Amino acid sequence: DNVRLLLPGFLSPETCKELEFVHRSCGTAGYRPSVVSTSLPHLAATGCGHLLLPFVPIRERLRDAVESFFSCHFDLFVEFTGLVSWCKGASIGWHSDDNKPYLRQRAFTAVCYLNNHGKDFKGGLLKFQDGEPSSVIPVAGDAVIYTADNRNVHCVDEVTEGERLTLTLWFTRDSSFDEDPKLLSFLSQTSLSYEPADQNSYIPLPASDNMYWFSYDQSGFDIRCARMHILGFSFRASSDEDSKSTSAAPADDPIELLGKPLRIGRADDVFGKIFANSLHALQVVQFYYWKAPELASRRNQTTGGSETVCYPTIQVQRSSGTELPLPCNHGLAQTIFGSYGNVDSVIEWDDVVLALAMWENYSEELKRKLSIFLPNWLSNGTIFVVDPSEPTQVCGEGN
């Protein structure tokens, strides 16, 4: 008789922020209008397989919660794991999650909310046709689990402002729809060769440019450009020579410039670091905003004399670097994504420099862990939380 359950505070605030970072630095145009999504296969296929690691314990905890609450006396497999943001204009009418022939395998749904209704977005309430709770007001960290059949016909109200962020999973009893084999196939192709301190091992590789194009009526924008613009940044040419060539002879498709080396700028300032591509730059900027409170705290401690922070040396130039001629309707992007609440009008470039170093350490550590876990996953044919005390073989050793 139990068909749904609300789990308050299922995810910690820091976990919500980490998943938000992953989504806002890796997301592509979604499966519905006004939706942006980040699937685990997409992460694995774009050089970001290490970013799967934060999802692994969450998937296990959600599966345990589903099996316990619904008294499952059978194995459950994860059919899909993804981050989904519903932007201004997004909605869906009454339906069950198994309402199409190609969705019949779905048995249970889990939705974790990563930001707050009212504060971060408006609209977007989850409503059920029958039973209790009849509606769910999204609160960061809360999760709701329910059966995917017609006992849980539901809808999502239109999002009228901002961006509603969720982690969504579907579970199945049919092992042929288990997403792990596909993920392991991607990971075995992209993450088996690992060399410590090799930065190229965690530099993201953009997917096809059309995957980042967000269409809206007769207009649209590139999601990578939009994410940067909302934070007050823009993509700049990687050097003065590139600035001249870009101005004199623009590329046939300017969007292709996002897959090449570039810099970032803000107003008249240009950051001296040359990034491998737009996703590389976007990840660092999104990491900076994720860690902004920690960065500010370090700066204040340094100013007060209680701590010394060694900043890497990266120059910031004034009035240098041509902004790349990218087609992006910035006004539309602002309307669709809204404004981020923690964005300051003034940034500390020293904090950006430190964020870059912290991002490299964060990525390197995840990559190292993945190299330890992946052989166990491959030998078992499934992705699970590996006990670090157990002996393991590091990828690249003996392969």
Side-chain angles (χ1 to χ4, degrees), residues 121-143:
F121 63 92
K122 296 179 181 179
L125 297 185
L126 172 63
K127 296 181 177 179
F128 292 94
Q129 215 167 44
D130 302 295
E132 295 295 333
S134 59
S135 64
V136 177
I137 299 175
V139 174
D142 287 1

Side-chain angles (χ1 to χ4, degrees), residues 62-279:
L62 282 171
R63 177 160 44 198
D64 290 346
V66 168
E67 289 177 340
S68 174
F69 181 70
F70 294 107
S71 302
C72 298
H73 301 294
F74 43 79
D75 289 333
L76 277 185
F77 306 92
V78 180
E79 185 232 17
F80 173 87
T81 307
L83 299 167
V84 182
S85 58
W86 295 60
C87 308
K88 180 179 172 63
S91 67
I92 188 170
W94 296 109
H95 69 287
S96 63
D97 287 342
D98 68 348
N99 67 341
K100 304 289 185 184
Y102 56 86
L103 302 178
R104 296 298 186 205
Q105 71 278 2
R106 292 179 177 173
F108 303 100
T109 303
V111 178
C112 301
Y113 297 104
L114 306 182
N115 60 353
N116 294 293
H117 176 269
K119 176 183 177 182
D120 302 305
F121 63 92
K122 296 179 181 179
L125 297 185
L126 172 63
K127 296 181 177 179
F128 292 94
Q129 215 167 44
D130 302 295
E132 295 295 333
S134 59
S135 64
V136 177
I137 299 175
V139 174
D142 287 1
V144 59
I145 56 177
Y146 52 91
T147 62
D149 56 21
N150 59 12
R151 289 176 294 175
N152 275 299
V153 174
H154 60 282
C155 69
V156 176
D157 286 346
E158 180 178 343
V159 176
T160 58
E161 185 179 318
E163 189 175 7
R164 172 188 186 266
L165 303 178
T166 64
L167 168 65
T168 300
L169 285 83
W170 283 291
F171 297 95
T172 180
R173 304 176 187 181
D174 188 341
S175 62
S176 67
F177 289 95
D178 184 0
E179 76 172 346
D180 283 9
K182 179 167 64 174
L183 288 174
L184 290 173
S185 176
F186 277 123
L187 290 172
S188 65
Q189 297 171 38
T190 60
S191 301
L192 278 175
S193 57
Y194 167 76
E195 295 293 337
D198 177 12
Q199 188 184 70
N200 290 329
S201 69
Y202 53 77
I203 295 296
L205 305 172
S208 300
D209 290 328
N210 66 318
M211 293 186 67
Y212 300 100
W213 187 254
F214 189 103
S215 296
Y216 191 87
D217 290 338
Q218 302 301 312
S219 186
F221 52 82
D222 183 275
I223 292 172
R224 296 164 292 185
C225 296
R227 294 287 193 201
M228 292 291 282
H229 173 76
I230 288 175
L231 296 173
F233 290 85
S234 60
F235 293 118
R236 306 292 176 92
S238 60
S239 68
D240 292 338
E241 287 301 315
D242 287 342
S243 297
K244 294 175 183 177
S245 62
T246 298
S247 300
D252 291 337
D253 183 359
I255 292 293
E256 293 180 2
L257 296 171
L258 295 176
K260 299 178 180 180
L262 45 70
R263 291 184 290 178
I264 60 173
R266 187 181 177 95
D268 293 331
D269 294 341
V270 177
F271 195 50
K273 166 75 175 180
I274 296 178
F275 296 93
N277 55 60
S278 58
L279 283 188

Side-chain angles (χ1 to χ4, degrees), residues 23-93:
H23 182 57
R24 286 184 164 158
S25 59
C26 301
T28 61
Y31 57 96
R32 300 181 58 82
S34 296
V35 167
V36 177
S37 65
T38 306
S39 69
L40 298 197
H42 174 76
L43 291 176
T46 54
C48 297
H50 54 287
L51 293 180
L52 269 68
L53 294 188
F55 296 86
V56 177
I58 300 171
R59 295 196 329 159
E60 288 201 3
R61 290 178 58 217
L62 282 171
R63 177 160 44 198
D64 290 346
V66 168
E67 289 177 340
S68 174
F69 181 70
F70 294 107
S71 302
C72 298
H73 301 294
F74 43 79
D75 289 333
L76 277 185
F77 306 92
V78 180
E79 185 232 17
F80 173 87
T81 307
L83 299 167
V84 182
S85 58
W86 295 60
C87 308
K88 180 179 172 63
S91 67
I92 188 170

Side-chain angles (χ1 to χ4, degrees), residues 368-389:
R368 185 191 66 81
K369 289 181 178 179
L370 179 61
S371 72
I372 295 173
F373 299 160
L374 186 53
N376 281 0
W377 294 350
L378 291 171
S379 63
N380 287 275
T382 187
I383 295 173
F384 60 98
V385 175
V386 177
D387 184 347
S389 65

Side-chain angles (χ1 to χ4, degrees), residues 298-299 301-302 307-312 354:
R298 287 195 181 194
R299 178 168 18 93
Q301 289 174 3
T302 301
E307 180 183 344
T308 300
V309 178
C310 295
Y311 293 96
L354 184 56

